[in-house]
Amino acid sequence: MAVSKTLHQAARDGGAAAGESARDVPKVELRALDTLWFQVAGTVCNLACSHCFISCSPTNRTHEHMRLADVLPYLEEARRLGVKEYYFTGGEPFLNPDMEAILEATLKQGPATVLTNGLLLDDGRCSRLAALAAGSDYSLDLRVSLDGYDAATNDPIRGEGTFERILQGIENLAAAGLNPVVTVTEVHAGNATAEGRRRFLDLLRAHGVAQPRLKMLPLFQLGAEAERSGAYESWQQLRRGDAPPEGWDHLQCTTCRMVTDQGVWVCPILVNEPGGKMGQRLADSLGDFPLDHPACWTCHVYGVSCKT
Amino acid sequence: MSNRIPEDHQAKTAKASRKAKLTAHRGLATWGEKLVPLGEFRRAVDGAGRRLSDAQRDAAIERFTAPVGDGVPVEGPYRRVAVCGGVYANAYALEALLDDARRRGAEAIYCLGDLGGFGPQPERVWPLLVNGGVRTIQGNYEASLASGRDDCNCGYADPRDNHYAAISYRYTAQHSSPAFKAWMGELPERRRIRVGERELLLVHGSPRRINEFLFASTSPVDFLELLVAQNRCHGILCTHTGLHWHRRLPSGADVINAGVIGRPANDGRTAVWYAMLGCGTDGTLEVEHVPLSYDHQALARDMRREGLPEPFVETVLTGWWTTCLEILPARERAAGRF
Ligand code: SF4
Ligand code: SF4
């Protein structure tokens, strides 16, 4: 497989200096820390989807689970920084035995969203989550990933038999009174069209979701997705002159940070690039970040935001 | 039959490659697009980023959350003030508000912007605001119309929401005169008022962004405390979401979303809402959300005559939102019908 080198890789190979100076790398500042992400299950997942941009799998320990005790100091720091919302992702967050305790602690201080693949949402879990939601002043949102409106389109991406299991999870949530946001990637060309959206909405209604909610996401050509559809080309890099007149405010890294068991990262996307790490605590990560990764190009061109 | 063999073969290799994927990462880490030994990745990560001392961290947080002055003059002091959010070209509700607020003894009436959108004949609200002495700030609608922007900058992300928002905006832009738009451009972005002892900041979305949504269920206490502290005030009034709420913070400050008088609050009632502020006996702020009835049948008639979308009319007549639903957080969404 032909892999074009990212700057980070080039830097590692010692060949970056030329490229670095030839390209005027724009920097973004953190305007406010509104959205705090926790990669609470690390890169450990019970699936190994072929478009997963961080290549999660049952054996991927690039990032490990975070325990409640790991999360609490960040929550404390987040209060001082006035964080507005908390997102939990992985891997699969519900593989983490502390997940519900972490949610309980979080919901005392702000709204929480969990990004899940839907496989571990049995009745017991759903009713416990509903109780957590009811007990908080803030919203609890579940985002469930689905990549096709039938098994024939979903399963080749997410794994055999997953379509049925995901819909069962969604039904269980709906039965418990929790209305998930179903997240669909543009892995199939038709998914994000009006017709595609209608089919997803109809599917969800047929499975007991009275107020179906959808979020469409473009793909990052990283990790497994790079293997599936090809890596970035060398021209997919941002330059200072690319800044729109209103600046870089459309990029989520102006308002978010990501915490994993290894520290604080600029955003949810660059966690598999050591260059994306900004420090150990949130206070270490309040400075500028250079947009020197090709994934930044996707963010800019597609206006990506991982939050709902 | 002949193509069955390759298909089977394909399925088998797909299965094998999936199995390989499940175990591919033993002892390895993903670095960008490559697999490297886990130890190599961890070493690179350990050395990456900054590691400040505790004192430096405190200082960094303090700098990051430092107050920002705006030099906006303080109006008042008042004992009783009415504050309304988006008017959305609902002249019937605005007339009702002017009557109701005066009857309740308001010394001044403030409007937090979004004069047009949703409703019919936007220019009808202009003389009502001017003659009624309503002190208005810019909403994203006014900012967009005055600057000739081609969308309302409401901040929706869903295609259906955007579709309806675009219809409203196009209609409003076409039915607002250059003089009205110029007047919108002159409106201040924020105001400060004093009610009794309390100094309050009036903004459209939030003190940070004209189109930021402050919903009750997604505005943490610590976040609101920071907004209040950064803006050196005793309270904040905002609108933009269409849903009214009030939270008294542990510091004693108040954050009040005044709601809107342009359309109902997704609560199955045809009434709309505004906020009445007064001085409490103990120096605190008194906050009351006031439901306001108006001739919603007349509004619906006018909207139909102007050819505005039927889902908008339905909202006016039923009190349930049919559009702008995707911006709602889980809790607010669950409270509505759609
Ligand atoms: S896309 Fe989600 S469910 Fe699939 S492997 Fe990655 S983390 Fe797991
Ligand atoms: S990948 Fe996107 S969010 Fe992350 S630093 Fe680059 S532009 Fe910002």
Side-chain angles (χ1 to χ4, degrees), chain A residues 39 42-58 89-93 115-119 145 147 157-158 185:
Chain A
Q39 194 159 341
T43 41
V44 185
C45 193
N46 45 359
L47 294 180
C49 301
S50 60
H51 64 349
C52 184
F53 71 89
I54 44 174
S55 310
C56 295
S57 78
T89 185
E92 168 48 45
L115 275 55
T116 168
N117 63 27
L119 299 196
S145 303
D147 278 304
I157 304 287
R158 304 200 75 87
T185 63

mmCIF file of all heavy atoms in Angstrom, chain A residues 39 42-58 89-93 115-119 145 147 157-158 185, ligand 1:
data_model
loop_
_atom_site.group_PDB
_atom_site.id
_atom_site.type_symbol
_atom_site.label_atom_id
_atom_site.label_comp_id
_atom_site.label_asym_id
_atom_site.label_seq_id
_atom_site.Cartn_x
_atom_site.Cartn_y
_atom_site.Cartn_z
ATOM 1 N N GLN A 39 -11.290 10.265 25.908
ATOM 2 C CA GLN A 39 -11.228 8.993 25.190
ATOM 3 C C GLN A 39 -11.182 7.902 26.249
ATOM 4 O O GLN A 39 -10.163 7.265 26.502
ATOM 5 C CB GLN A 39 -10.017 8.927 24.260
ATOM 6 C CG GLN A 39 -10.175 7.768 23.308
ATOM 7 C CD GLN A 39 -9.334 7.901 22.067
ATOM 8 O OE1 GLN A 39 -8.883 8.997 21.733
ATOM 9 N NE2 GLN A 39 -9.120 6.801 21.393
ATOM 10 N N GLY A 42 -10.080 4.482 25.614
ATOM 11 C CA GLY A 42 -8.850 4.387 24.839
ATOM 12 C C GLY A 42 -9.147 3.998 23.402
ATOM 13 O O GLY A 42 -10.163 4.413 22.831
ATOM 14 N N THR A 43 -8.269 3.160 22.847
ATOM 15 C CA THR A 43 -8.485 2.687 21.474
ATOM 16 C C THR A 43 -9.008 1.256 21.485
ATOM 17 O O THR A 43 -8.920 0.544 20.498
ATOM 18 C CB THR A 43 -7.170 2.752 20.679
ATOM 19 O OG1 THR A 43 -6.112 2.301 21.532
ATOM 20 C CG2 THR A 43 -6.865 4.165 20.219
ATOM 21 N N VAL A 44 -9.573 0.862 22.641
ATOM 22 C CA VAL A 44 -10.053 -0.505 22.787
ATOM 23 C C VAL A 44 -11.530 -0.565 22.395
ATOM 24 O O VAL A 44 -12.352 0.184 22.911
ATOM 25 C CB VAL A 44 -9.901 -0.984 24.245
ATOM 26 C CG1 VAL A 44 -10.293 -2.453 24.344
ATOM 27 C CG2 VAL A 44 -8.483 -0.753 24.725
ATOM 28 N N CYS A 45 -11.828 -1.454 21.456
ATOM 29 C CA CYS A 45 -13.198 -1.546 20.960
ATOM 30 C C CYS A 45 -13.558 -3.009 20.750
ATOM 31 O O CYS A 45 -12.692 -3.833 20.490
ATOM 32 C CB CYS A 45 -13.342 -0.780 19.647
ATOM 33 S SG CYS A 45 -15.068 -0.538 19.194
ATOM 34 N N ASN A 46 -14.862 -3.305 20.864
ATOM 35 C CA ASN A 46 -15.295 -4.667 20.549
ATOM 36 C C ASN A 46 -15.567 -4.832 19.060
ATOM 37 O O ASN A 46 -15.978 -5.892 18.615
ATOM 38 C CB ASN A 46 -16.519 -5.069 21.389
ATOM 39 C CG ASN A 46 -17.570 -3.979 21.435
ATOM 40 O OD1 ASN A 46 -17.396 -2.905 20.859
ATOM 41 N ND2 ASN A 46 -18.661 -4.242 22.116
ATOM 42 N N LEU A 47 -15.364 -3.774 18.275
ATOM 43 C CA LEU A 47 -15.433 -3.879 16.816
ATOM 44 C C LEU A 47 -14.090 -3.440 16.241
ATOM 45 O O LEU A 47 -13.218 -2.946 16.961
ATOM 46 C CB LEU A 47 -16.549 -2.983 16.273
ATOM 47 C CG LEU A 47 -17.984 -3.370 16.647
ATOM 48 C CD1 LEU A 47 -18.958 -2.375 16.017
ATOM 49 C CD2 LEU A 47 -18.292 -4.787 16.203
ATOM 50 N N ALA A 48 -13.942 -3.628 14.951
ATOM 51 C CA ALA A 48 -12.756 -3.128 14.250
ATOM 52 C C ALA A 48 -13.235 -2.625 12.894
ATOM 53 O O ALA A 48 -12.952 -3.206 11.855
ATOM 54 C CB ALA A 48 -11.709 -4.225 14.098
ATOM 55 N N CYS A 49 -13.984 -1.522 12.924
ATOM 56 C CA CYS A 49 -14.632 -1.027 11.703
ATOM 57 C C CYS A 49 -13.587 -0.647 10.665
ATOM 58 O O CYS A 49 -12.525 -0.130 11.000
ATOM 59 C CB CYS A 49 -15.476 0.203 12.020
ATOM 60 S SG CYS A 49 -16.752 -0.148 13.228
ATOM 61 N N SER A 50 -13.958 -0.856 9.407
ATOM 62 C CA SER A 50 -12.970 -0.644 8.355
ATOM 63 C C SER A 50 -12.766 0.840 8.059
ATOM 64 O O SER A 50 -11.900 1.197 7.295
ATOM 65 C CB SER A 50 -13.381 -1.386 7.092
ATOM 66 O OG SER A 50 -14.632 -0.900 6.649
ATOM 67 N N HIS A 51 -13.577 1.744 8.675
ATOM 68 C CA HIS A 51 -13.369 3.175 8.425
ATOM 69 C C HIS A 51 -12.929 3.910 9.697
ATOM 70 O O HIS A 51 -12.942 5.120 9.766
ATOM 71 C CB HIS A 51 -14.638 3.818 7.882
ATOM 72 C CG HIS A 51 -15.802 3.785 8.854
ATOM 73 N ND1 HIS A 51 -15.798 3.047 10.009
ATOM 74 C CD2 HIS A 51 -16.991 4.404 8.815
ATOM 75 C CE1 HIS A 51 -16.943 3.223 10.633
ATOM 76 N NE2 HIS A 51 -17.687 4.041 9.924
ATOM 77 N N CYS A 52 -12.544 3.141 10.731
ATOM 78 C CA CYS A 52 -12.238 3.769 12.018
ATOM 79 C C CYS A 52 -10.946 4.576 11.884
ATOM 80 O O CYS A 52 -9.887 4.009 11.634
ATOM 81 C CB CYS A 52 -12.071 2.708 13.099
ATOM 82 S SG CYS A 52 -11.810 3.413 14.731
ATOM 83 N N PHE A 53 -11.036 5.899 12.064
ATOM 84 C CA PHE A 53 -9.861 6.723 11.761
ATOM 85 C C PHE A 53 -8.793 6.608 12.841
ATOM 86 O O PHE A 53 -7.684 7.095 12.669
ATOM 87 C CB PHE A 53 -10.251 8.180 11.483
ATOM 88 C CG PHE A 53 -10.703 8.951 12.695
ATOM 89 C CD1 PHE A 53 -9.794 9.637 13.472
ATOM 90 C CD2 PHE A 53 -12.036 8.996 13.036
ATOM 91 C CE1 PHE A 53 -10.213 10.336 14.598
ATOM 92 C CE2 PHE A 53 -12.456 9.692 14.149
ATOM 93 C CZ PHE A 53 -11.543 10.364 14.935
ATOM 94 N N ILE A 54 -9.129 5.975 13.993
ATOM 95 C CA ILE A 54 -8.075 5.711 14.964
ATOM 96 C C ILE A 54 -7.840 4.205 15.117
ATOM 97 O O ILE A 54 -7.203 3.772 16.069
ATOM 98 C CB ILE A 54 -8.321 6.384 16.325
ATOM 99 C CG1 ILE A 54 -9.770 6.201 16.754
ATOM 100 C CG2 ILE A 54 -7.965 7.852 16.277
ATOM 101 C CD1 ILE A 54 -10.036 6.729 18.149
ATOM 102 N N SER A 55 -8.334 3.422 14.157
ATOM 103 C CA SER A 55 -8.050 1.980 14.077
ATOM 104 C C SER A 55 -8.300 1.248 15.380
ATOM 105 O O SER A 55 -7.488 0.439 15.806
ATOM 106 C CB SER A 55 -6.584 1.725 13.695
ATOM 107 O OG SER A 55 -6.215 2.461 12.589
ATOM 108 N N CYS A 56 -9.402 1.511 16.037
ATOM 109 C CA CYS A 56 -9.669 0.818 17.290
ATOM 110 C C CYS A 56 -9.951 -0.658 17.023
ATOM 111 O O CYS A 56 -10.444 -1.030 15.966
ATOM 112 C CB CYS A 56 -10.867 1.448 17.987
ATOM 113 S SG CYS A 56 -10.524 3.132 18.473
ATOM 114 N N SER A 57 -9.629 -1.487 18.015
ATOM 115 C CA SER A 57 -9.891 -2.920 17.923
ATOM 116 C C SER A 57 -9.745 -3.496 19.318
ATOM 117 O O SER A 57 -9.281 -2.811 20.230
ATOM 118 C CB SER A 57 -8.892 -3.579 16.964
ATOM 119 O OG SER A 57 -7.647 -3.757 17.615
ATOM 120 N N PRO A 58 -10.127 -4.768 19.491
ATOM 121 C CA PRO A 58 -9.999 -5.373 20.822
ATOM 122 C C PRO A 58 -8.551 -5.393 21.320
ATOM 123 O O PRO A 58 -8.316 -5.447 22.527
ATOM 124 C CB PRO A 58 -10.518 -6.795 20.615
ATOM 125 C CG PRO A 58 -11.412 -6.721 19.425
ATOM 126 C CD PRO A 58 -10.827 -5.669 18.545
ATOM 127 N N THR A 89 -15.771 9.097 24.434
ATOM 128 C CA THR A 89 -15.648 8.245 23.271
ATOM 129 C C THR A 89 -14.596 7.183 23.538
ATOM 130 O O THR A 89 -14.052 7.062 24.633
ATOM 131 C CB THR A 89 -15.343 9.102 22.022
ATOM 132 O OG1 THR A 89 -15.333 8.270 20.868
ATOM 133 C CG2 THR A 89 -14.009 9.813 22.120
ATOM 134 N N GLY A 90 -14.295 6.390 22.526
ATOM 135 C CA GLY A 90 -13.267 5.360 22.644
ATOM 136 C C GLY A 90 -12.603 5.207 21.302
ATOM 137 O O GLY A 90 -12.371 6.223 20.641
ATOM 138 N N GLY A 91 -12.528 3.994 20.879
ATOM 139 C CA GLY A 91 -13.068 2.748 21.369
ATOM 140 C C GLY A 91 -14.553 2.789 21.753
ATOM 141 O O GLY A 91 -15.275 3.672 21.369
ATOM 142 N N GLU A 92 -14.923 1.752 22.500
ATOM 143 C CA GLU A 92 -16.311 1.652 22.932
ATOM 144 C C GLU A 92 -16.394 1.999 24.419
ATOM 145 O O GLU A 92 -15.944 1.212 25.269
ATOM 146 C CB GLU A 92 -16.849 0.246 22.647
ATOM 147 C CG GLU A 92 -18.187 -0.068 23.296
ATOM 148 C CD GLU A 92 -19.233 1.022 23.083
ATOM 149 O OE1 GLU A 92 -19.372 1.523 21.958
ATOM 150 O OE2 GLU A 92 -19.924 1.376 24.069
ATOM 151 N N PRO A 93 -16.960 3.162 24.762
ATOM 152 C CA PRO A 93 -16.974 3.624 26.150
ATOM 153 C C PRO A 93 -17.577 2.620 27.138
ATOM 154 O O PRO A 93 -17.114 2.516 28.270
ATOM 155 C CB PRO A 93 -17.828 4.889 26.101
ATOM 156 C CG PRO A 93 -17.660 5.382 24.704
ATOM 157 C CD PRO A 93 -17.516 4.167 23.843
ATOM 158 N N LEU A 115 -20.442 8.633 22.853
ATOM 159 C CA LEU A 115 -20.422 8.090 21.495
ATOM 160 C C LEU A 115 -20.207 6.586 21.601
ATOM 161 O O LEU A 115 -19.145 6.139 22.038
ATOM 162 C CB LEU A 115 -19.281 8.716 20.685
ATOM 163 C CG LEU A 115 -19.549 10.057 20.009
ATOM 164 C CD1 LEU A 115 -20.033 11.096 20.997
ATOM 165 C CD2 LEU A 115 -18.304 10.550 19.282
ATOM 166 N N THR A 116 -21.218 5.823 21.215
ATOM 167 C CA THR A 116 -21.147 4.383 21.403
ATOM 168 C C THR A 116 -21.494 3.651 20.117
ATOM 169 O O THR A 116 -22.175 4.197 19.243
ATOM 170 C CB THR A 116 -22.104 3.940 22.539
ATOM 171 O OG1 THR A 116 -22.235 2.521 22.520
ATOM 172 C CG2 THR A 116 -23.478 4.552 22.390
ATOM 173 N N ASN A 117 -21.009 2.403 20.001
ATOM 174 C CA ASN A 117 -21.375 1.611 18.827
ATOM 175 C C ASN A 117 -22.681 0.847 19.050
ATOM 176 O O ASN A 117 -23.151 0.146 18.163
ATOM 177 C CB ASN A 117 -20.232 0.681 18.399
ATOM 178 C CG ASN A 117 -19.872 -0.351 19.458
ATOM 179 O OD1 ASN A 117 -20.696 -0.738 20.276
ATOM 180 N ND2 ASN A 117 -18.626 -0.798 19.436
ATOM 181 N N GLY A 118 -23.262 0.974 20.236
ATOM 182 C CA GLY A 118 -24.600 0.456 20.464
ATOM 183 C C GLY A 118 -24.681 -1.018 20.829
ATOM 184 O O GLY A 118 -25.762 -1.532 21.102
ATOM 185 N N LEU A 119 -23.542 -1.700 20.880
ATOM 186 C CA LEU A 119 -23.596 -3.152 21.113
ATOM 187 C C LEU A 119 -23.800 -3.518 22.575
ATOM 188 O O LEU A 119 -24.185 -4.628 22.889
ATOM 189 C CB LEU A 119 -22.317 -3.832 20.606
ATOM 190 C CG LEU A 119 -21.993 -3.715 19.112
ATOM 191 C CD1 LEU A 119 -20.945 -4.738 18.715
ATOM 192 C CD2 LEU A 119 -23.225 -3.885 18.253
ATOM 193 N N SER A 145 -23.552 4.867 16.511
ATOM 194 C CA SER A 145 -23.064 4.848 15.129
ATOM 195 C C SER A 145 -23.728 3.757 14.309
ATOM 196 O O SER A 145 -23.887 2.630 14.768
ATOM 197 C CB SER A 145 -21.554 4.605 15.120
ATOM 198 O OG SER A 145 -20.914 5.584 15.885
ATOM 199 N N ASP A 147 -23.862 2.635 9.938
ATOM 200 C CA ASP A 147 -23.277 3.029 8.659
ATOM 201 C C ASP A 147 -24.053 2.600 7.434
ATOM 202 O O ASP A 147 -23.566 2.733 6.310
ATOM 203 C CB ASP A 147 -21.824 2.541 8.571
ATOM 204 C CG ASP A 147 -20.897 3.507 9.297
ATOM 205 O OD1 ASP A 147 -20.922 4.703 8.938
ATOM 206 O OD2 ASP A 147 -20.207 3.098 10.240
ATOM 207 N N ILE A 157 -18.901 -2.665 6.784
ATOM 208 C CA ILE A 157 -18.085 -1.636 7.426
ATOM 209 C C ILE A 157 -17.894 -1.960 8.906
ATOM 210 O O ILE A 157 -16.788 -1.932 9.433
ATOM 211 C CB ILE A 157 -18.765 -0.242 7.315
ATOM 212 C CG1 ILE A 157 -19.043 0.111 5.851
ATOM 213 C CG2 ILE A 157 -17.944 0.828 8.022
ATOM 214 C CD1 ILE A 157 -17.837 0.463 5.040
ATOM 215 N N ARG A 158 -18.986 -2.246 9.609
ATOM 216 C CA ARG A 158 -18.939 -2.345 11.066
ATOM 217 C C ARG A 158 -18.775 -3.778 11.587
ATOM 218 O O ARG A 158 -18.490 -3.965 12.759
ATOM 219 C CB ARG A 158 -20.178 -1.689 11.701
ATOM 220 C CG ARG A 158 -20.380 -0.235 11.292
ATOM 221 C CD ARG A 158 -21.278 0.539 12.242
ATOM 222 N NE ARG A 158 -20.572 0.846 13.467
ATOM 223 C CZ ARG A 158 -19.801 1.913 13.650
ATOM 224 N NH1 ARG A 158 -19.660 2.788 12.698
ATOM 225 N NH2 ARG A 158 -19.168 2.093 14.780
ATOM 226 N N THR A 185 -21.721 7.965 8.994
ATOM 227 C CA THR A 185 -20.619 8.549 8.226
ATOM 228 C C THR A 185 -20.962 8.506 6.744
ATOM 229 O O THR A 185 -21.846 7.776 6.315
ATOM 230 C CB THR A 185 -19.306 7.776 8.423
ATOM 231 O OG1 THR A 185 -19.495 6.454 7.914
ATOM 232 C CG2 THR A 185 -18.911 7.733 9.872
HETATM 233 S S1 SF4 C 1 -15.558 3.270 14.502
HETATM 234 FE FE1 SF4 C 1 -16.226 3.170 16.642
HETATM 235 S S2 SF4 C 1 -17.151 1.144 16.841
HETATM 236 FE FE2 SF4 C 1 -15.916 1.092 15.006
HETATM 237 S S3 SF4 C 1 -13.920 0.330 15.662
HETATM 238 FE FE3 SF4 C 1 -13.801 2.556 15.729
HETATM 239 S S4 SF4 C 1 -14.332 3.051 17.857
HETATM 240 FE FE4 SF4 C 1 -15.022 0.942 17.491
#
